[in-house]
Amino acid sequence: AGPAHIGTLRIASSFKNVHAIMHAPLGDDYFNVMKSMLERERGFTPVTASIVDRHVLARGSQEKVVNNITRKDIEEQPDLIVLTPTCTSSILQEDLQNFVNRASLESKADVILADVNHYRVNELQAADRTLEQIITFYIDKAKKYGTISNNKTKNPSVNIIGSSCLGFHNQHDMSELKRLFADLGIEINLIIPEGSSVNQLKNLTQAWFNFVPYRETGLMTANYLKKEFNMPYIDISPIGIIEITAFIRKLEKILLDQGHECSFEDYITLQTKFVSQSSWFSRSIDCQNLTGKKAVVFGDATHAAAITKILSKEMGIHVAWAGTYCKYDEQWFKEEVKDLCDNVVITEDNALIADLIAKTEPAAIFGTQMERHIGKRLNIPCGVISSPVHIQNFPLSYKPFMGYEGTNQIADLVYNSFTLGMEDHLI
Amino acid sequence: ISCVSWLYQKIEDSFFLVIGTKTCGYFLQNAMGVMIFSEPRYAMAELEEGDISAKLNDYEELKRLCLQIKKDRNPSVIFWIGTCTTEIIKMDLEGIAPKLEAEIKITIVVARANGLDYAFTQGEDTVLAAMAQRCPEYKEKAISLSGDPKEETKHPPLILFGSLPDPVANQLIFELKKQGIKVSGWLPSKRYTELPAISEGNYVCGVNPFLSRTATTLMRRRRTKLIGAPFPIGPDGTRAWIEKICSVFGIQPVGLEEREKQIWESLEGYLKLIANKSVFFMGDNLLEISLARFLIRCGMVVHEIGIPYMDKRYQGGELLLLEKTCQEMGVSIPSIVEKPDNYKQLERIRTLQPDLVITGMAHANPLEARGINTK
Ligand code: SF4
């Protein structure tokens, strides 16, 4: 995972009309290049830098940060400006909060300082925290002005929390989830942060429940809303048939608890049998060829755990080890995959993973772009299942990982990785 | 710090150790794309909170890393690339290096290439400036790049500086040879162990516009004479560059005019395409002046030359040529904007609607989406 400020920027620039100002040296506005290239973004990325140079080192940022904030306020008229610290500002130890207080007096936009410390958290944790911070800020504001919605929507509804830019197949997942919820008769109240406006946040409380598709970003917000408004949430990622089923059953229970009569069992059966090809695929002769084949899995916690479950429970593949770089989520990850693989690996060290792969000699790897390159070197096929990713992982065609269509995509991905390996071997 | 990505390839027996934070690492990893998977000869020394509050011992930590590099890769030189963080916490890299160098017996060159002071290509400048101080003194016989040590030279030694891909460098050496000029050395050399010898009174000449510190170091510290020529970019620039070097050595250049004409002729097809089209440089790598000058000669109209940093002395020859080119082509001299404000530039682009905007990747896709061609 990348440095903390990347996480903050991903959240801030996913909202509509929110501008981020980084307190950083020249060169650290590299985020804009990534966003513009990887997402082939048409708009200008709403991120600017308040440059830290020699001058700032000697005399402090002083007016500079404040001026940059008020200037952006006038130029772009955003709803919110997020001042984003970087590693450099972490050690300068300037009182950025003070600048924010001063700037917010002068500007129309709300101004907050992202509460992330470069040396304590990484990109994903920072994204999680920043989202929570923004939500808390606007909920508090709404409470103060009495504009918060106290009523639930008439029909069951959900907030999807944590959909953001530069996420792995995020946009496709969102389309698939919308479809899934529509099938189940559940309205979407808000999707945050991607595409929503901070002015809508006061309506978050109208939803019947919250849903966090990726556990890396959104759990903090979901917990906050649970504590504050007693809103239940689901944190099961609907990736793979078994998990989708668990997800829908949990959802059913939440609705029943709130007095809404419903039963989704028929839907699950129908989808599993007819829409998703993957359970039939698992039984077909092709897939039986894969039984017992050796694979390894590595990625963020959400995807690595989900793929491990699919490989082992749905396809009968032997997962030699499964791992994640989300060190801070170690416990959850271990719990999820402990019976599904021989070993669990928790590390951020790419070289260690490379060594392990070489030692294990799996028939296929499921990992990030890093593992794909290791695979190339060792001549082992690799399916990319998680960030960090390259531009190829922002495909133009529809490729969700979640929901029933996602199961088809994953089955193809898994199958193609293995057959390629077999063919190679035969040749 | 991005200069690491091309310099480690250029200097074959080097290893680059970037001493910085996760931000620097992330930047390099993304900027280099696939290259990071080909076991490159660079690494990050990632500073942790403990290093920042100086709980850890910088010296011991660096020693451990360098010993490991020495063991695994055995390079002739390790470059320590200082970053914003080492700068702010005032890590005394220059002080530590000589001690460590003596202790572990491997050359260590320190260069600061941080975002506080420099932009993009200027990183190469800081590295070359640091190397310039390490070049051996000129002894009786220098290594001859032209391959023939007996070859007579009628001029004092000439050393070129600036990293170029080998074929390009060889081409320039060849062009000079045709004028009877011998290149006695090139900074950087292909291997660190083959650094060119430099001594007082030698002549030096830059091939890239962003090397002003290196130039200054060569003049002040090594007491060499700098040939302030335009840069060999475009046939016009290349000719002016050679002419200037010849004139310093009192050589009458031969066949240059012909040569330039030939090249222009071979470009005919392209020139037709771009004639009278307008171009806007947003500015990010200091090549802008030379490129603008070349494009004006090609018949284009330049609206604005954005440039991160402008050394009027070092780029003097180039600026004069730009002026001359504008006069000859009958266009006014474009405004040169140092440290441009991108936001205002975008406003100007919106009004001017140039045919081509030369820009970084952060702005390219959004501009294309607005119907503006970019490069
Ligand atoms: S600007 Fe400074 S902190 Fe950022 S990548 Fe460059 S050297 Fe590292």
Side-chain angles (χ1 to χ4, degrees), chain A residues 27-316:
Chain A
D28 283 357
D29 48 1
Y30 190 70
F31 176 77
N32 298 27
V33 173
M34 278 174 37
K35 182 151 156 80
S36 174
M37 289 305 289
L38 294 180
E39 302 215 318
R40 304 177 190 90
E41 181 62 54
R42 283 161 205 259
F44 290 101
T45 309
V47 174
T48 42
S50 175
I51 303 284
V52 178
D53 56 15
R54 277 277 149 213
H55 209 73
V56 169
L57 272 197
R59 317 215 352 249
S61 305
Q62 297 186 354
E63 299 307 309
K64 199 168 175 180
V65 174
V66 179
N67 288 344
N68 276 319
I69 296 177
T70 44
R71 178 181 150 188
K72 267 301 146 212
D73 181 49
I74 297 164
E75 282 172 0
E76 315 254 343
Q77 306 180 337
D79 297 321
L80 168 69
I81 294 175
V82 181
L83 182 60
T84 310
T86 59
C87 54
T88 308
S89 45
S90 284
I91 36 180
L92 279 179
Q93 297 191 326
E94 285 188 284
D95 189 357
L96 294 178
Q97 186 59 52
N98 177 28
F99 296 149
V100 163
N101 296 346
R102 270 170 48 208
S104 57
L105 292 180
E106 283 173 49
S107 54
K108 278 217 203 66
D110 296 315
V111 189
I112 62 176
L113 170 66
D115 170 30
V116 294
N117 179 323
H118 174 92
Y119 293 96
R120 310 254 163 100
V121 296
N122 68 17
E123 169 183 349
L124 302 170
Q125 293 162 294
D128 203 10
R129 169 69 187 124
T130 303
L131 184 59
E132 183 203 25
Q133 203 188 347
I134 294 178
I135 303 302
T136 319
F137 181 86
Y138 280 98
I139 295 280
D140 285 347
K141 197 171 159 183
K143 273 193 203 151
K144 199 163 103 200
Y145 293 104
T147 51
I148 203 152
S149 317
N150 287 318
N151 301 326
K152 296 283 168 205
T153 52
K154 195 161 128 268
N155 298 319
S157 64
V158 58
N159 297 316
I160 302 182
I161 299 178
S163 161
S164 74
C165 66
L166 295 175
F168 185 73
H169 291 236
N170 184 98
Q171 276 165 1
H172 305 287
D173 282 349
M174 285 311 126
S175 310
E176 189 60 23
L177 288 173
K178 281 185 205 161
R179 198 148 80 187
L180 181 62
F181 282 122
D183 282 353
L184 299 173
I186 291 164
E187 286 170 9
I188 302 215
N189 185 50
L190 271 180
I191 297 182
I192 57 168
E194 188 71 63
S196 65
S197 146
V198 289
N199 298 321
Q200 295 171 298
L201 296 178
K202 59 177 189 302
N203 299 332
L204 275 172
T205 46
Q206 289 173 0
W208 290 33
F209 69 101
N210 292 315
F211 168 47
V212 181
Y214 311 102
R215 55 183 298 103
E216 286 74 19
T217 352
L219 276 183
M220 285 178 85
T221 304
N223 275 317
Y224 162 80
L225 291 171
K226 169 144 205 227
K227 205 174 86 215
E228 205 66 17
F229 301 99
N230 203 21
M231 291 176 82
Y233 70 83
I234 306 181
D235 61 354
I236 300 172
S237 306
I239 304 178
I241 291 287
I242 297 176
E243 291 297 292
I244 297 176
T245 307
F247 165 82
I248 297 181
R249 290 201 177 128
K250 170 108 191 241
L251 193 158
E252 189 180 84
K253 180 162 184 308
I254 285 179
L255 295 187
L256 287 172
D257 285 349
Q258 297 185 43
H260 182 79
E261 281 306 319
C262 59
S263 165
F264 298 133
E265 283 309 313
D266 292 350
Y267 177 78
I268 294 175
T269 318
L270 190 82
Q271 291 287 322
T272 308
K273 279 218 169 112
F274 299 106
V275 175
S276 168
Q277 303 290 320
S278 87
S279 42
W280 158 238
F281 171 76
S282 314
R283 273 180 290 128
S284 71
I285 305 296
D286 268 347
C287 196
Q288 289 176 21
N289 281 332
L290 301 182
T291 311
K293 286 253 146 44
K294 195 154 62 168
V296 297
V297 182
F298 191 74
D300 63 18
T302 298
H303 290 91
I307 298 295
T308 305
K309 289 175 198 166
I310 294 174
L311 292 177
S312 129
K313 291 204 266 190
E314 297 182 19
M315 294 182 163

Side-chain angles (χ1 to χ4, degrees), chain B residues 182-197:
Chain B
K182 194 179 108 181
V183 178
S184 339
W186 201 307
L187 182 74
S189 43
K190 265 180 98 160
R191 302 182 60 81
Y192 183 79
T193 44
E194 291 162 10
L195 273 184

